[in-house]
Amino acid sequence: MLESNPSVLIDQKGAVGVITLNRPERLNAITIPMMQRLDHALADFGANEGVGSIVLQATGKGFCAGQDLRVLSQFYRQHDSAELGDVIQRHYNPVIQRIAELPVAVIAAVQGVAAGAGWSIAMACDLRLAARSASFVPAFGKLGLSPDLGGTSSLVEAVGLGKAMEYSLVTDRVTADEAAEMGLINRVVADEELTDCAMQWAKRIATIPREAVRVTKKALREAAGMSHGGRLKNEAHDQSICAGNMDHRNLLESFVSKP
Ligand code: LHQ
């Protein structure tokens, strides 16, 4: 273990950087310090010529339940809702941008649930493997919010506009098998094989020269029309608009006040 922090663990196994979200008691729900920590870990691995790929995984029964809603509720007690977009732009979107620009591939190994911004983070990675028990929950709508952290464009690019609408507005939960069938993820594996499979893919990619990976990522993302900057900013702005709506506040409070 090179370095550790309770909520994000950082390790290097040979040429593979391993980042583990580690707040299992909250299904790895994200906070600003976690996102900052994640960004630093990605940046450090990106700058380390000895690292050829990165696995992003999580501990416990979920991959990531999106924004920590207790923290969000606290945020609204101290700040104007219009500030949320700025917070997303400053502290969350850099991770999404970083993953796209890294000269190494990032593989998400998804076990359990990936909800809201947790789903967006998985979608921001270059490759996604999921355990058969994994699922994807578009939590935004139920909370009165809209997709963020690149979740609008990554979803449309993966499954097309119609299906992205369905997943955002109609669907409760997408199973790992459906996600693979729809091209949302690369592969479903048995739960007990997830870590090994992610490491195998990561080791294989790590044999490719970094410059070739960097250029391939850039070229494929450009070919898919993925230019993040402006879209991330727009999403963050749109989230501020949703954040100012009392329906959202009531839905949020009903989640955090559950006994
Ligand atoms: C949680 C959470 C959570 C805190 C489960 N927070 N504790 C917005 C603003 C700013 C920046 C970035 O992005 C965003 C966009 C978003 O991400 S909005 C979407 C936020 N996420 C959600 O709305 C998901 C809320 N969670 C759920 O709906 C369920 O927990 C799911 C469907 C994910 C999983 O259900 P279960 O498997 O039944 O687990 P659970 O509900 O029993 O959760 C386990 C614990 O984790 C529980 O705590 P407890 O103390 O009762 O054991 C939950 O309260 C806690 N938890 N998600 N986001």
Side-chain angles (χ1 to χ4, degrees):
M1 188 70 55
L2 292 178
E3 226 181 324
S4 71
N5 167 290
S7 60
V8 178
L9 306 175
I10 303 160
D11 197 2
Q12 187 177 338
K13 291 190 162 77
V16 180
V18 180
I19 303 176
T20 308
L21 305 179
N22 186 40
R23 282 186 85 210
E25 71 286 1
R26 289 275 168 264
L27 298 180
N28 300 306
I30 51 174
T31 61
I32 290 175
M34 274 177 84
M35 292 303 279
Q36 288 173 331
R37 179 85 183 139
L38 180 53
D39 194 39
H40 287 147
L42 291 166
D44 286 350
F45 283 138
N48 180 346
E49 292 288 332
V51 168
S53 56
I54 296 171
V55 171
L56 176 62
Q57 59 182 19
T59 55
K61 73 177 182 120
F63 176 73
C64 175
Q67 169 61 33
D68 187 309
L69 297 181
R70 289 174 178 84
V71 172
L72 186 61
S73 172
Q74 277 299 322
F75 175 85
Y76 291 138
R77 286 183 224 290
Q78 292 155 6
H79 301 269
D80 191 276
S81 58
E83 292 174 47
L84 185 65
D86 186 44
V87 168
I88 293 171
Q89 260 300 85
R90 273 195 298 136
H91 301 294
Y92 291 68
N93 283 346
V95 168
I96 306 304
Q97 193 77 43
R98 171 100 49 207
I99 292 171
E101 288 169 3
L102 274 178
V104 296
V106 183
I107 303 170
V110 181
Q111 95 289 4
V113 70
W119 183 353
S120 300
I121 292 171
M123 292 302 295
C125 293
D126 300 301
L127 294 154
R128 278 160 294 289
L129 297 171
R132 179 140 286 115
S133 64
S135 61
F136 299 84
V137 173
F140 303 102
K142 268 195 175 165
L143 199 63
L145 290 175
S146 58
D148 57 12
L149 275 58
T152 56
S153 45
S154 59
L155 200 55
V156 170
E157 274 141 15
V159 296
L161 181 57
K163 205 69 189 171
M165 285 286 182
E166 181 184 325
Y167 284 161
S168 301
L169 299 175
V170 183
T171 308
D172 271 337
R173 195 180 279 260
V174 183
T175 63
D177 281 321
E178 180 177 348
E181 199 181 309
M182 290 305 303
L184 268 176
I185 60 173
N186 296 90
R187 198 161 297 183
V188 185
V189 297
D191 288 26
E192 62 278 11
E193 287 169 15
L194 179 65
T195 309
D196 282 353
C197 187
M199 284 305 290
Q200 271 173 29
W201 281 34
K203 282 181 191 164
R204 188 189 171 101
I205 294 169
T207 63
I208 302 171
R210 276 164 64 108
E211 186 61 358
V213 174
R214 185 187 71 75
V215 175
T216 301
K217 277 181 59 163
K218 181 173 169 289
L220 288 177
R221 283 175 177 271
E222 279 174 8
M226 293 173 91
S227 86
H228 267 316
R231 294 179 188 178
L232 288 171
K233 200 171 167 193
N234 288 344
E235 278 179 352
H237 171 75
D238 292 344
Q239 198 68 292
S240 279
I241 294 173
C242 293
N245 188 300
M246 279 321 289
D247 289 335
H248 160 57
R249 297 301 184 80
N250 294 334
L251 291 163
L252 174 63
E253 290 314 312
S254 73
F255 183 92
V256 299
S257 62
K258 266 187 227 154

